[in-house]
Amino acid sequence: MASAIRSDIEASIASWLNRSGDGIITLMIPEFFDTAHHKIQRVTDFQAMEKTWVDTFVNKPNVTPVTPLADYCIPDHTWKNIKLVYSYNQTTNKIIEFYNKTDIDIIRTRRRDDSLFSALQAQASQTSTNPDLRVNLLFAVWNQMISLWPTPNSTLIGKQIRADVHKFLDPPAGNASDWFTINARDWLIFGSLIQASPYLANDSRIPVWEKFAKDAWNEITGHDIESTWSGDLVMRG
């Protein structure tokens, strides 16, 4: 089985190029690799990109009655999208409640109008088993923050807020491998080679590499690679 180590894949790219005397194109191989690695993640959410971000509901400072913060920062800016947000009891290992995704303007409007809903909120319990007494919990993402509505109640202090996300993975180090070098090795090689085409005028190998790259892309993602270069993404259906 071919090696999935990054340095070995880059050596394979160099062998395919067969331009050892061309210092510029040799120096560009790591850039070609990184671009191919990032490109495939932008189109499809792979299982390897699935992560769960965790924070703890903490007290608002100097506020009475005691309530948790309603805005939480995800410090890692490499997440691609958020699939699910929920409160979690780490003692019982059970989900408490799910939040429904909305837009930030809805969150801000609800916060502005909280006084209008105070009577309803006084009767409602976020953990009630009676659907008629349950507030519709909302979250929105803005400026790397998860904003919640309504303001979490004091029973959540010390519990966890969790978000299931898809996270962009950094390319591996030279002596390392990852899911993409193991499972998408052919795309990384031929996706890199076609990036070298501007340096290879009238090279008859380029159409062959483009076919290999397209075949690898289609097999791995289920998407037509040509659609990513000539308009909106077209999903196979």
Side-chain angles (χ1 to χ4, degrees):
M1 183 176 178
S3 172
I5 301 298
R6 172 176 179 157
S7 59
D8 292 337
I9 292 176
E10 290 185 348
S12 181
I13 295 169
S15 296
W16 278 89
L17 285 169
N18 193 26
R19 295 287 290 269
S20 58
D22 190 334
I24 293 178
I25 200 168
T26 302
L27 289 173
M28 289 297 293
I29 289 176
E31 177 72 18
F32 297 155
F33 180 100
D34 287 351
T35 300
H37 193 275
H38 287 302
K39 180 180 178 66
I40 198 168
Q41 296 183 68
R42 293 198 301 268
V43 175
T44 299
D45 294 334
F46 294 93
Q47 186 174 359
M49 301 165 63
E50 296 173 357
K51 307 293 178 183
T52 297
W53 168 86
V54 179
D55 204 344
T56 301
F57 287 102
V58 295
N59 293 355
K60 276 186 176 181
N62 305 318
V63 172
T64 304
V66 176
T67 56
L69 294 172
D71 299 283
Y72 291 85
C73 177
I74 299 183
D76 188 343
H77 292 187
T78 61
W79 54 271
K80 179 181 179 183
N81 56 57
I82 294 180
K83 305 298 289 185
L84 194 64
V85 173
Y86 50 96
S87 52
Y88 188 85
N89 188 326
Q90 63 272 33
T91 302
T92 61
N93 295 319
K94 292 182 178 180
I95 293 173
I96 301 170
E97 194 70 278
F98 293 101
Y99 287 81
N100 298 304
K101 189 173 184 178
T102 189
D103 295 322
I104 190 63
D105 58 326
I106 301 297
I107 296 289
R108 290 176 174 166
T109 300
R110 292 291 181 90
R111 289 180 177 179
R112 183 198 65 189
D113 296 339
D114 266 348
S115 59
L116 301 178
F117 296 98
S118 59
L120 174 61
Q121 292 183 47
Q123 300 175 40
S125 169
Q126 294 184 18
T127 58
S128 173
T129 57
N130 184 342
D132 294 332
L133 298 180
R134 196 178 292 166
V135 173
N136 186 26
L137 306 181
L138 302 175
F139 84 92
V141 179
W142 187 261
N143 194 27
Q144 304 296 331
M145 302 286 288
I146 294 179
S147 295
L148 308 176
W149 185 91
T151 299
N153 64 35
S154 59
T155 63
L156 289 177
I157 292 176
K159 306 297 193 302
Q160 291 180 345
I161 174 174
R162 294 190 173 195
D164 295 336
V165 306
H166 284 106
K167 179 181 183 295
F168 287 115
L169 302 182
D170 292 331
N175 61 349
S177 62
D178 68 0
W179 188 92
F180 294 100
T181 63
I182 295 169
N183 296 285
R185 186 179 188 274
D186 49 350
W187 159 253
L188 293 175
I189 290 174
F190 296 110
S192 296
L193 289 170
I194 59 179
Q195 293 177 66
S197 58
Y199 302 89
L200 306 171
N202 301 317
D203 194 315
S204 61
R205 299 173 298 172
I206 293 174
V208 177
W209 294 343
E210 288 177 340
K211 182 183 184 306
F212 288 160
K214 179 180 178 180
D215 290 345
W217 179 278
N218 291 350
E219 290 171 4
I220 296 163
T221 68
H223 301 162
D224 184 352
I225 192 171
E226 292 179 351
S227 69
T228 69
W229 292 342
S230 59
D232 294 336
L233 178 67
V234 177
M235 298 287 292
R236 287 183 175 180

